[in-house]
Amino acid sequence: MILKVCTSLLLLFLVNAVWTRSVRQVYDDLDPDHWSHYTSECPPECFCPPSFPNALYCDNKGLKEIPPIPARIWYLYLQNNQIETISEKPFVNATHLRWINLNKNKITNSGIESGVLSKLKRLLYLFLEDNELEEVPAPLPVGLEQLRLARNKISKIPEGVFSHLENLTMLDLHQNSLLDSALQSDTFQGLNNLMQLNIAKNSLKKMPLSIPANTLQLFLDNNSIEVIPENYFSAIPKVTFLRLNYNKLSDDGIPTNGFNVSSILDLQLSHNQLTKIPPINAHLEHLHLDHNKIRSVNGTQICPVSIALEEDYGYYGNIPRLRYLRLDGNEIQPPIPLDIMICFRLLQAVVI
């Protein structure tokens, strides 16, 4: 299970670097005689590196519109400009685009020509962070693998916008204006391969409905969530990293075994209103509970297995795997109780 999770995360976070490096290696030995051809095709506002002819760098140029994109381009960098519209005309020849970075522009939904994005059939990565979008743009390319829409003004997710995005592995919607009403039971329908969902820094008061079952990382920091529904995580049995920092969770808002979930390896509940440590699973490796209202810690009570049973099995049994425990910012006085160390034998760091 752990090996499978690690493999998935490597695919999610390292594929960009590996892919780009591979393409660079292919073109490092390009015949210099071809450089003039690539230069002549290059828009005058942009930079076309001869050693990486599939990339077009138009970032930080003060552009107000997208220049014509040559047919050979796979990677398009347009971040940090003043672009307000995405029209079809610049992309007429750009049928091989895999990656578009349009972060930090002034793009609105009305500025996106109807259907222009969905016509980019080979697009895998679309970055539209730090713009002025008020809803998730639609329709989107069906082959998309990453969609980053952080720091916009999004308060609406059109019905069915994700229904055909079966290849999407990352969806980043953090720091927008989403309310609970924007996340319906079918909002994420179709995202069968989603691995990371980031809805942090919105205005949610409830846990979102119908998270895709394959989700590994769920980020819900900086909302106003008060309650974890009973058996909520049974619908997302692969969730490994769960962040709920800076919410309004109290002891009464967490079911008895709400976080006693074998798949969760990293649980972050910092800056909430908890007065005690909730029951955890023996598989948990990192637990963040700093800046709550916890006054004392009883290792015997919070130990996910019987300490007596643990003594019998020693290091060859199902001993708790907790390695990192953060408890600072509470009302706990040192020293660390001995029964904590007896239970969690693999602890490498305790912050108190």
Side-chain angles (χ1 to χ4, degrees):
M1 170 63 184
I2 294 177
L3 177 60
K4 188 175 181 180
V5 169
C6 291
T7 303
S8 300
L9 293 178
L10 282 173
L11 287 173
L12 179 64
F13 294 111
L14 301 181
V15 68
N16 300 351
V18 173
W19 187 13
T20 301
R21 185 166 58 251
S22 299
V23 174
R24 285 183 182 274
Q25 289 171 351
V26 169
Y27 292 101
D28 273 346
D29 298 324
L30 258 177
D31 186 342
D33 291 340
H34 295 162
W35 294 0
S36 59
H37 169 67
Y38 295 129
T39 303
S40 65
E41 276 193 331
C42 189
E45 312 95 324
C46 307
F47 171 60
C48 299
S51 61
F52 193 21
N54 287 107
L56 180 61
Y57 292 88
C58 307
D59 51 307
N60 296 286
K61 302 294 184 181
L63 300 180
K64 294 187 177 181
E65 58 184 29
I66 300 173
I69 310 303
R72 70 175 191 276
I73 299 303
W74 287 23
Y75 305 96
L76 177 58
Y77 299 89
L78 288 160
Q79 66 270 27
N80 293 300
N81 282 294
Q82 303 293 318
I83 297 169
E84 297 181 0
T85 61
I86 303 176
S87 61
E88 185 176 344
K89 186 177 179 180
F91 299 103
V92 169
N93 297 318
T95 57
H96 296 281
L97 276 174
R98 306 292 202 273
W99 172 306
I100 298 178
N101 189 332
L102 276 160
N103 292 346
K104 295 187 178 179
N105 278 283
K106 296 185 177 182
I107 298 167
T108 61
N109 288 94
S110 60
I112 301 176
E113 186 175 336
S114 178
V116 63
L117 296 175
S118 63
K119 291 178 181 178
L120 302 173
K121 302 294 186 182
R122 301 188 182 185
L123 195 66
L124 302 178
Y125 300 84
L126 178 58
F127 301 166
L128 282 165
E129 298 179 344
D130 296 285
N131 277 279
E132 298 180 14
L133 299 173
E134 295 183 350
E135 61 183 66
V136 175
L140 292 162
V142 294
L144 211 58
E145 293 183 4
Q146 289 192 17
L147 178 59
R148 302 183 185 232
L149 299 169
R151 295 178 298 277
N152 277 275
K153 303 174 182 178
I154 295 173
S155 60
K156 181 181 178 182
I157 301 178
E159 185 177 354
V161 67
F162 303 127
S163 60
H164 300 294
L165 302 187
E166 294 186 1
N167 295 326
L168 199 71
T169 59
M170 174 191 281
L171 176 58
D172 191 343
L173 288 163
H174 88 270
Q175 200 166 331
N176 277 285
S177 303
L178 292 170
L179 299 171
D180 295 318
S181 57
L183 305 180
Q184 300 299 315
S185 59
D186 60 351
T187 295
F188 302 113
Q189 184 175 345
L191 298 180
N192 299 327
N193 290 296
L194 194 70
M195 295 168 61
Q196 183 185 108
L197 178 59
N198 192 341
I199 326 178
K201 294 188 177 181
N202 278 279
S203 300
L204 304 180
K205 294 183 178 180
K206 300 177 181 179
M207 295 292 285
L209 301 170
S210 300
I211 300 298
N214 284 318
T215 302
L216 296 175
Q217 300 180 328
L218 179 58
F219 303 151
L220 292 163
D221 314 74
N222 293 89
N223 280 285
S224 298
I225 296 170
E226 299 179 358
V227 175
I228 307 294
E230 192 82 36
N231 299 318
Y232 181 84
F233 299 105
S234 62
I236 42 176
K238 297 182 181 180
V239 64
T240 305
F241 298 90
L242 178 62
R243 292 196 335 216
L244 279 159
N245 303 319
Y246 291 95
N247 276 282
K248 296 182 179 180
L249 290 171
S250 64
D251 302 327
D252 294 337
I254 300 176
T256 302
N257 285 299
F259 294 120
N260 187 359
V261 180
S262 61
S263 65
I264 298 178
L265 303 182
D266 190 299
L267 176 59
Q268 300 190 19
L269 297 168
S270 304
H271 294 272
N272 277 280
Q273 300 171 12
L274 303 175
T275 64
K276 59 185 180 181
I277 298 177
I280 59 174
N281 193 272
H283 290 88
L284 189 68
E285 296 183 3
H286 295 83
L287 178 59
H288 299 246
L289 284 165
D290 55 288
H291 298 90
N292 276 274
K293 299 179 179 180
I294 300 170
R295 295 182 178 179
S296 63
V297 181
N298 186 317
T300 303
Q301 290 180 356
I302 68 171
C303 192
V305 300
S306 166
I307 291 181
L309 187 63
E310 187 179 341
E311 289 288 344
D312 291 339
Y313 282 103
Y315 282 97
Y316 300 99
N318 187 30
I319 66 171
R321 300 178 187 175
L322 194 67
R323 289 170 167 79
Y324 180 88
L325 176 61
R326 184 169 177 183
L327 290 166
D328 55 305
N330 283 283
E331 300 173 26
I332 304 169
Q333 298 297 320
I336 300 167
L338 180 60
D339 53 3
I340 290 283
M341 309 309 296
I342 294 174
C343 173
F344 301 108
R345 299 185 184 186
L346 301 180
L347 265 177
Q348 297 175 357
V350 181
V351 184
I352 192 169

